[in-house]
Each structure stands twice: as C-alpha cells, then as structure tokens.
C-alpha cells in the first residue's frame, strides 16, 4: 500500500518507517499473554498497545476494550492493522513522538521497548524509551511492561551470541546499555522513579521470543515441584544450543534463581491517584500461568487448574523419571534401572501412559505431569511401554548422555534392550506400532536440544577418529612402501653384480677358447644331419 492510500484511522506521528515490517519479529505471546491482558482490560476504558504485538493479542484488545489504540513504527503494519480493525486507532511512528491529550487506562508493552524507536533517529537508551512510555500512564492507570533479561537462561543455552543472530531488526545493536534493568530490583526501582507502584512481577519462560509460562515472584520464592518446572524448559527450535535447556532450567529453579535467570520479566504497575484508591488486583493477577499444548493452566505452588472452567488438580511431587534414569545410566547402575523399568511396566499395564520426560516418580508411584490425549483405538500395554522407552532412548542418545550399553548405539535397538530389562521383551513389530502411536499423539520424539553444540562436538570426534584411522593406515602403507623400495634397491644391486660377473666371464680366456673350439663340432654335427637326412 502506498503512502497516499493510508487508511483514515492511521495517524502519522513522525519517525514512521515506510518500507519496514515488524509483523514477524514481535514477541509471540499466545495463551498466557492473552489471559493476563484479558484480566487487566478495563470494562470501558482506553487501552494502548505500544510496539508490535501478535495478531491474536491485538484482536482481543480491539474487541474487548472501549477504545483501543496501537503504536507501531512500520507503515505497512499500521495499514494492515487499520484495515483489519476499523475501530482501532493506529499511531505510526516512534514512541517519543506520541503525544496524547486523553490518557490511557491501560498501556501494554509486551514486546518491550526495543522496537519502539525509528531507524531515522539514534537509538535511545532504555531509560529514555521507558520515560516516554511512562508519561502515557495517567494517575489511576496501569502499565504492563516486558523487559528482556540479558542474563536469562536462554542466553546460557544459545551457542550463537545474541548480537550475531543476524535479524533484520538488529541494524543497531543495543550493546551494554547501563540504563537497562539488570534485575528485578532494578526494574522496581525504575518503575518507582517514574512514579509507578509495582503490583505484580512475573518471570516468563522458556524464551523471550515465545513465552509460554508466567510465574509471579511470590510463587518463585517457594520451593516449586519439578512437575511444575518441566513445562518451563525450551523445546526444540532452530537455534544452535550448547546445553540441555530442560535440565538447566530445572537447576535454576532448584537453586532459587528462577526469577533472576528468567528470559523475560513482565511487570504490572500502576500510577496511584491522589485521594482515589486504586482498583485492587488481588483477585485478578494469577500466581502463575502455564501454556501446555495450546491450553492455559493457572498454577499455584500445589495445584494447577485448566482455564477457563477446570477444577484444581494437585501437582504431583517427586522427581522426573527421565532425570532419574539419566543419573542411573551415568552411574551404570543397571540393577536400579532394571528395578525402575519393571515398576514402570507394571504401571503401564495398570493403564498408565506418559513419556519419561512427562512422568514423576516419588519412590513409590508414578504420576503424569500433563495428561495425554487418549489414542483413537485400543493399544496394547506392550506397545505403550515400548513407546515410552523408545522416546527415552532417542532423547538419551541425542543429548549425548553416558549409558551402560555402548553397543548398539541406535535408538531402536537400545529401546528393545530397555524393554527386555523391564521384563517385557518387544519385537520390531511392537517398535513400529510404538512409533506410529507416538506420531498419532502428536509428540515428536526428539531431544530437548535439537540441534545442540554437542552435536558438533560429536561430529568432530567422529571425524577425528576417522582421520586417526586414515593416518594410521597411511603410515602402515608408507612403512610397507619403504620396505618394498629397500627390497627393490637390493634386487637391482644384485642384478648389477650378476651382470658384472657375467660380463667378466664372457671376457675371460677360457670362455673365448671354449667358444672357438665348439664351432668345428657344431659344423660337423650340422653336416652329419644333412648327409643323413
């Protein structure tokens, strides 16, 4: 769309980028972002979305708010939003150029402040952008702000430095901004300096690009069960990783660093009005929100409840079965592995079904962290067990963990070995049915880190071994060639000696006399043959 075709509900405020789009770069908030924003939306008030946001979040705000406005720097994005939502007021330009006569009751900046300035100006510091955003919050109004953490757990697992990711929007790396909050306390101090009171602060997991869980700081101060921290780890992705994010995230929570190492902080703050009590948020702000399989669950330290109308369900206590098996494999404790797999087989025969990374073991019984969808038809318990152990074998080998079975290395053969250790031998047909069941349930049996930096190390080791073997073969061939060359030199020297002896013999007097005397005898023999013939 050309500039002269700008819709009427788009307001050009300065600093607009005519040939740029942030539609694919915005933070991919889904269920948890929609749930949090929906609880804070005023019944009839003015709401501003500062920065690019996901299309679903913009649509929800535009449909439910009395008056909704959006601030984006991209002119194509502004025109697209205005065309989809005619009632939406779209401000196109940089944040610091926005001046509003009427204040907003709620300001949402769930994409942070990094995409609120224009390429036509020097990149402002975080503090300057935050001050411009805070001015839009009137007395009695609220602000929901997302702040990325440069020391988040996602930075520990990514092999590529963040300034080398090569995104189109990183034309001016932020670098070490001294005004950027370096922790939850620094974020609260920045809000307080702007006259805002923090009402709630959340840690977002598993990553800043696609958060799927929000946990309040009060909840993180408690000792959380591992069954709750399992869904908070990164699963898959195209980035090259250096460590297992599933294990690293659980260790961060186990050591009480869940809030400090969160990839993203989300703060809910209000500007108190003189003489007017603020609307209480005690019943609105959840203790935690976790999205699993496109379903949002509200969580506490002991229960989880499926939204919108699910009943509370106790969170199982214990350790994740996959971690228990990995530790036993590292110790080569085959006896404990056999005992645990036998108990797992009994649990499966009693109707249980959950993969090892979604199963909790408290020493006496198993409990699924997240219930699985039921298969379309009846499935034999032998196939269910084979599926569980096959998924564990795939993840064990892909993550590079040590195990007591150095041969065979293939996941299929290792799964059959584990089934035999559980006392339920399985065949190739059972393994094929297990893979089909896994595909039917929609849970790909891949590693928690795919691809990982350890894959490069493994490939390097394999190539090093092949190179060592090749060099050894070349050395053997060179030794053999040197031996053959020495044999050839000796043979040539012997031939030359023989030739010299023969030449000396031919030149001797006896040899010449014997040849002269032999000539008459030869002539006589020829004459006799002619006469007799």
């Amino acid at each position: 769309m050309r500039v002269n075709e700008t819709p009427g509900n788009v307001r050009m405020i300065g600093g607009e980028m005519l040939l740029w789009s942030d539609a694919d770069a915005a933070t991919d908030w889904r269920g948890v972002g929609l749930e949090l924003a929906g609880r804070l939306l005023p019944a009839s008030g003015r709401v501003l979305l500062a920065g690019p946001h996901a299309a679903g979040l913009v649509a929800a705000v535009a449909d439910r708010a009395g008056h909704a406005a959006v601030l984006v720097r991209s002119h194509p994005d502004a025109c697209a939003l205005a065309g989809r939502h005619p009632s939406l007021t779209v401000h196109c330009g940089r944040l610091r150029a926005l001046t509003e006569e009427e204040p907003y009751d709620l300001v949402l900046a769930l994409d942070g402040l990094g995409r609120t300035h224009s390429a036509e100006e020097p990149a402002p510091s975080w503090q300057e952008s935050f001050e411009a955003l805070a001015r839009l919050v009137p007395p009695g109004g609220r602000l929901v702000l997302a702040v990325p953490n440069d020391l988040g757990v996602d930075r520990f697992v990514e092999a590529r430095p963040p300034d080398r990711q090569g995104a189109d929007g990183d034309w001016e790396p932020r670098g070490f901004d001294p005004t950027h909050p370096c922790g939850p306390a620094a974020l609260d101090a920045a809000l307080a300096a702007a006259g805002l009171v923090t009402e709630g602060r959340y840690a977002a997991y598993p990553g800043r690009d696609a958060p799927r869980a929000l946990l309040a700081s009060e909840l993180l101060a408690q000792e959380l069960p591992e069954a709750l921290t399992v869904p908070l780890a990164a699963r898959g992705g195209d980035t090259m990783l250096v460590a297992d994010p599933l294990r690293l995230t659980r260790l961060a929570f186990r050591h009480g660093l869940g809030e400090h190492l969160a990839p993203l902080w989300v703060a809910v703050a209000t500007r108190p009005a003189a003489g007017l009590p603020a609307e209480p948020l005690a019943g609105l702000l959840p203790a935690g929100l976790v999205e699993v399989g496109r379903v949002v669950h509200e969580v506490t330290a002991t229960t989880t409840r499926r939204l919108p109308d699910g009943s509370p369900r106790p969170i199982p206590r214990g350790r994740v079965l996959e971690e228990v098996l990995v530790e036993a494999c590292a110790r080569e404790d085959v006896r404990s592995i056999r005992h645990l797999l036998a108990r797992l087989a009994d649990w499966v025969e009693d109707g249980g079904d959950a993969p090892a990374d979604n199963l909790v073991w408290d020493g006496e019984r198993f409990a699924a962290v997240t219930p699985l969808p039921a298969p379309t038809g009846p499935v034999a318990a032998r196939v269910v067990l084979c599926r569980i152990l096959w998924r564990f074998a795939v993840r064990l080998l892909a993550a590079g963990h040590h195990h007591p079975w150095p041969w065979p290395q293939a996941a299929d053969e290792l799964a059959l070995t584990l089934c035999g250790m559980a006392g339920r031998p399985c065949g190739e047909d059972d393994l094929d049915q297990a893979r089909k069941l896994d595909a039917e349930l929609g849970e790909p049996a891949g590693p928690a880190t795919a691809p990982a930096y350890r894959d490069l190390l493994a490939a390097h080791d394999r190539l090093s071994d092949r190179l060592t073997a090749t060099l050894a073969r070349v050395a053997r061939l060179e030794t053999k060639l040197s031996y053959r060359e020495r044999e050839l030199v000796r043979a040539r020297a012997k031939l030359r000696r023989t030739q010299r002896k023969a030449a000396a013999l031919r030149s001797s007097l006896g040899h010449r006399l014997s040849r002269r005397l032999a000539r008459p005898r030869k002539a006589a023999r020829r004459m006799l043959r002619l006469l007799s013939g």
Side-chain angles (χ1 to χ4, degrees):
M1 180 176 291
R2 295 189 297 270
V3 178
N4 56 2
E5 297 178 354
T6 301
N9 55 339
V10 175
R11 177 190 172 196
M12 313 292 281
I13 62 175
E16 54 274 348
M17 300 174 63
L18 302 180
L19 301 176
W20 184 259
S21 176
D22 290 314
D24 297 332
T27 304
D28 186 17
W29 288 98
R30 293 183 187 172
V32 294
L34 288 173
E35 180 66 24
L36 180 63
R39 296 191 181 196
L40 297 175
L41 285 176
S44 59
R46 294 168 54 83
V47 180
L48 172 67
L49 287 166
H53 288 76
L57 183 59
V58 176
V61 172
D63 294 340
R64 297 177 55 182
H67 174 79
V70 176
L71 168 69
V72 291
R73 62 183 179 181
S74 167
H75 182 262
D77 295 347
C79 295
L81 288 173
R84 287 196 300 265
H85 309 286
S87 62
L88 193 66
T89 302
V90 182
H91 304 285
C92 182
R94 60 181 181 268
L95 174 61
R96 293 192 295 174
L98 179 61
T99 57
E100 281 292 300
E101 297 180 357
E102 298 185 28
Y104 293 100
D105 300 300
L106 178 63
V107 177
L108 297 173
L110 291 177
D111 189 65
L113 302 177
R115 281 181 276 265
T116 58
H117 63 274
S118 172
E120 305 298 330
E121 63 171 347
S125 65
W126 184 90
Q127 183 64 33
E128 293 172 340
S129 299
F130 172 69
E131 290 175 355
L133 183 68
R135 285 195 295 267
L136 303 176
V137 183
R142 285 194 172 89
L143 169 67
V144 181
L145 174 63
V147 180
N149 180 13
D150 291 334
L151 200 63
V153 68
D154 55 339
R155 293 303 191 202
F156 289 97
V157 300
E158 293 178 3
R160 188 186 299 272
D163 55 351
R164 296 294 301 274
Q165 291 179 354
D168 292 337
D170 298 332
W171 63 82
E172 187 173 355
R174 176 171 52 83
F176 295 95
D177 186 355
T179 66
H180 191 277
C182 57
L187 177 58
D188 291 343
L191 293 171
L196 299 171
V197 178
T198 304
E199 296 181 294
R201 188 178 60 250
Y202 293 90
Y205 281 87
R208 67 191 65 196
D209 296 329
R212 296 293 177 265
L214 289 173
L215 298 181
S217 56
E218 296 80 11
L219 183 61
L220 293 173
Q222 307 178 42
E223 183 179 357
L224 301 180
E226 290 191 4
L228 179 58
T229 60
V230 166
L232 307 183
R235 303 297 180 96
D238 296 330
T239 58
M240 189 65 67
L241 306 179
V242 298
D244 186 352
L246 182 64
R247 181 175 179 82
L248 188 60
T249 303
R250 291 210 299 268
L251 288 176
F253 280 93
R254 185 177 300 172
H255 291 277
L257 300 175
E259 184 175 16
H260 292 278
L261 297 183
L264 195 70
W265 297 306
V266 178
V268 180
T270 184
R271 188 183 299 278
L276 296 177
E279 181 183 354
L281 290 179
L284 296 178
L285 291 181
L289 297 172
V290 177
E291 181 180 357
V292 180
R294 297 301 180 102
V295 177
V296 180
H297 301 262
E298 183 175 357
V299 299
T300 65
T302 57
T303 62
T304 176
R305 180 175 70 89
R306 178 172 179 170
L307 297 178
D309 52 1
S311 57
R313 176 175 173 266
I315 298 177
R317 296 282 175 170
R319 299 191 61 194
V320 178
L321 176 61
E322 181 181 85
E323 190 173 75
V324 178
L325 290 175
V326 167
E327 291 182 358
C329 288
R331 298 191 306 266
E332 297 191 359
D333 190 355
V334 180
R335 181 178 180 181
S336 298
I337 296 174
R338 182 180 291 108
H339 172 72
L340 191 57
L341 293 182
R343 296 290 299 272
L344 176 64
D346 295 337
W347 179 75
V348 170
E349 291 177 351
D350 292 338
D353 184 9
D357 58 319
N358 190 27
L359 196 60
V360 172
W361 165 253
D362 62 357
E364 296 182 359
R365 61 184 62 87
F366 294 95
V369 177
T370 304
L372 296 179
T376 55
V379 181
R382 181 181 64 260
V383 176
V384 174
L385 178 65
C386 187
R387 168 184 173 266
I388 296 175
L389 297 182
W390 174 70
R391 285 178 58 88
F392 170 72
V394 170
R395 293 171 60 87
L396 179 73
L397 297 179
H401 294 297
H402 177 75
H403 60 86
W405 307 281
W407 188 264
Q409 292 287 345
D412 293 352
E413 287 132 357
L414 181 57
L416 297 178
T417 302
L418 295 174
C419 290
M421 293 187 65
R424 276 70 170 178
C426 298
E428 293 291 341
D429 295 338
D430 299 325
L431 189 59
D432 292 338
Q433 296 181 28
R435 285 193 291 261
K436 293 178 181 179
L437 176 62
D438 192 73
E440 177 186 345
L441 296 178
E443 292 188 350
T449 60
Y453 185 64
R454 60 170 56 93
D455 297 336
L456 297 180
L457 297 179
H460 177 270
D461 294 339
R462 289 194 300 269
L463 293 176
S464 298
D465 294 340
R466 294 179 60 182
L467 180 61
T468 302
T470 304
L471 291 176
R473 184 180 180 185
V474 170
R476 291 194 300 270
L477 292 176
E478 288 180 347
T479 302
K480 192 173 183 180
L481 179 61
S482 300
Y483 172 76
R484 294 295 176 85
E485 287 179 348
R486 290 193 297 269
E487 290 290 325
L488 181 60
V489 169
R490 287 194 292 267
R492 286 177 177 175
K494 185 177 181 181
L495 178 61
R496 286 194 295 267
R497 289 194 301 270
T498 304
Q499 290 174 346
R500 286 195 298 268
K501 290 180 180 179
L505 181 62
R506 284 194 300 269
S507 62
S508 63
L509 178 61
H511 179 72
R512 290 196 302 268
L513 291 174
S514 63
R515 288 182 63 85
R516 288 172 182 260
L517 293 175
R519 288 175 184 173
R521 289 195 298 272
K522 293 180 180 178
R525 283 196 296 268
R526 286 198 297 268
M527 182 60 70
L528 290 175
R529 284 197 297 269
L530 290 174
L531 294 175
S532 61

